[in-house]
Amino acid sequence: MTRLGVRILRVIASAALLVLALSGCGIVMPSSGADGSRTIALLLPESKTARYEAYDRPFFEAKVQELCPECEVIYANADQDPAKQQQQAESAFAQGISVLVLDPVDSSAAVTIVATAQSYKVPVISYDRLIGSPELAFWVSFDNEQVGALQGKALVERLADQGLSSGNIVMINGSPTDNNSRLFKRGAHNVIDGSAFTIVAEFDTPDWSPDKAQEWMSSQVTQFGDSLVGVYAANDATAGGAIAALKAGGVRPLPAVTGQDAELAAIQRIVSGDQYMTVYKDLKQEAEIAATQAVALLNGEQLIGESDDTNGIPTTLLTPVIVTIDNIMETVVADGFYTVEQICTPEYAVACAAAGIQ
């Protein structure tokens, strides 16, 4: 054997010994997911909005378990921190996941996560919020522009029902880093801008923070006071902040306030008359579609959306529903989202009875 051949054998032997040593220490090189791994990562954006921990995560995990008992779900919540979400994604890749289901904190920043997933050959499902990347396997959400239009329509119609033909409205939009916020805002403007009412101020709420929404609303109460006839709040958390500011500022009666997500606290505010409406989205259906598609990807199946493709991405957009005091029983109660007992605690018992919620 030549000297070169001996050297090559020594290098191969050394590499083999290194692999054995690393294995003995429990250090495993990251898997691309192409080795038969049955692991799915679910990365959600924040916990200030009640839906993610209370509904999206458990619904998703339960459906994966039903469809694929041997599958493992790795879960992490980014607490509205895009850098933290990036780290969580990198950790998931290092654990050898096969599929990533990602609801981005920042729809633009998450493009980097998708690019990294591509290098690991891990397909990405964009969950709820659309990631600004064409390299997605699937997107499931709601018709978010329609959500904003429903909110705007409900608000304008409520004011007309109150006999108002003019008045001031303020808009509390969602986080500027959330692509859905842009769609909610556009849908709402499409309705309100053509109405008889005037938008006198508008605020994009950082991180969807109820505290920041309340702080901003307080400044608007000081400036506009009782001239406000309506508040467009993009979701129930910001609606709660706005209502707290209105009450603290002594605004009576409260103007009509919109919301979204059908949070339990919002349903109770609707029962008590503090909030006019919310938008109910069937989160169970959304989470189960995402889980079903994730398992399909594990099985090498081709994904097909039920809506038109979005920039070539298979897409399913679900239909949102307006909830007011008049249809609580037919929506969130009928679907098992809440029970009457959960809504009608002693504090709300009289208002529930008056609304026929029993």
Side-chain angles (χ1 to χ4, degrees):
M1 181 177 293
T2 65
R3 290 184 178 180
L4 178 59
V6 171
R7 287 178 181 174
I8 291 172
L9 286 175
R10 285 176 178 172
V11 169
I12 294 172
S14 296
L17 288 171
L18 178 59
V19 170
L20 288 172
L22 289 175
S23 299
C25 293
I27 301 174
V28 181
M29 294 298 289
S31 166
S32 68
D35 61 351
S37 169
R38 308 288 283 175
T39 305
I40 300 166
L42 174 65
L43 303 185
L44 298 182
E46 47 101 351
S47 54
K48 288 184 178 180
T49 304
R51 58 169 286 187
Y52 293 112
E53 297 294 333
Y55 300 105
D56 296 84
R57 177 190 179 182
F59 287 148
F60 181 89
E61 292 178 336
K63 189 63 176 179
V64 170
Q65 179 63 27
E66 174 192 329
L67 297 174
C68 182
E70 73 277 15
C71 287
E72 177 187 359
V73 175
I74 295 173
Y75 173 74
N77 190 303
D79 296 318
Q80 203 60 47
D81 183 345
K84 183 176 181 179
Q85 189 165 66
Q86 177 74 44
Q87 293 168 355
Q88 290 169 342
E90 290 171 358
S91 174
F93 295 137
Q95 294 178 67
I97 63 169
S98 297
V99 179
L100 172 60
V101 179
L102 175 61
D103 191 342
V105 173
D106 185 319
S107 300
S108 298
V111 171
T112 302
I113 296 176
V114 177
T116 304
Q118 289 289 299
S119 71
Y120 281 93
K121 296 181 173 56
V122 173
V124 178
I125 292 175
S126 191
Y127 183 73
D128 201 62
R129 304 174 183 179
L130 179 61
I131 303 165
S133 169
E135 304 298 332
L136 298 171
F138 192 78
W139 177 37
V140 58
S141 187
F142 291 82
D143 186 333
N144 295 306
E145 191 167 332
Q146 184 186 8
V147 168
L150 288 174
Q151 292 170 314
K153 180 175 182 288
L155 179 58
V156 168
E157 290 181 350
R158 173 62 172 172
L159 300 181
D161 289 344
Q162 292 175 331
L164 299 171
S165 57
S166 64
N168 294 332
I169 291 174
V170 295
M171 290 186 68
I172 302 177
N173 304 307
S175 170
T177 62
D178 179 353
N179 182 66
N180 285 357
S181 296
R182 176 179 60 82
L183 299 174
F184 301 148
K185 185 195 301 189
R186 186 164 68 194
H189 269 291
N190 286 343
V191 175
I192 300 172
D193 290 352
S195 74
F197 303 96
T198 303
I199 299 170
V200 292
E202 191 166 352
F203 179 62
D204 291 343
T205 311
D207 301 337
W208 286 98
S209 169
D211 295 338
K212 292 173 183 175
Q214 182 174 345
E215 180 181 355
W216 182 81
M217 189 69 229
S218 294
S219 69
Q220 304 313 300
V221 169
T222 300
Q223 185 171 356
F224 298 107
D226 292 333
S227 74
L228 293 175
V229 297
V231 177
Y232 168 83
N235 75 345
D236 291 334
T238 54
I243 291 166
L246 289 163
K247 287 184 172 182
V251 177
R252 295 289 187 277
L254 291 175
V257 181
T258 68
Q260 176 186 178
D261 291 331
E263 293 187 358
L264 179 58
I267 297 297
Q268 291 174 326
R269 287 194 297 266
I270 290 171
V271 169
S272 69
D274 289 344
Q275 183 171 325
Y276 172 59
M277 62 80 70
T278 187
V279 174
Y280 168 53
K281 301 186 295 188
D282 190 341
L283 302 179
K284 186 173 189 289
Q285 185 180 14
E286 182 183 22
E288 289 188 344
I289 288 173
T292 300
Q293 299 291 49
V295 173
L297 284 171
L298 281 177
N299 295 330
E301 299 174 16
Q302 183 75 26
L303 302 192
I304 300 174
E306 295 183 5
S307 308
D308 291 338
D309 286 357
T310 304
N311 300 323
I313 301 163
T315 301
T316 293
L317 297 179
L318 304 172
T319 303
V321 178
I322 290 175
V323 176
T324 67
I325 197 167
D326 296 324
N327 67 342
I328 289 174
M329 289 295 294
E330 292 76 31
T331 52
V332 294
V333 174
D335 284 359
F337 203 61
Y338 302 120
T339 64
V340 169
E341 290 73 23
Q342 287 175 305
I343 298 169
C344 300
T345 58
E347 181 181 356
Y348 299 96
V350 173
C352 278
I357 303 171
Q358 50 192 349

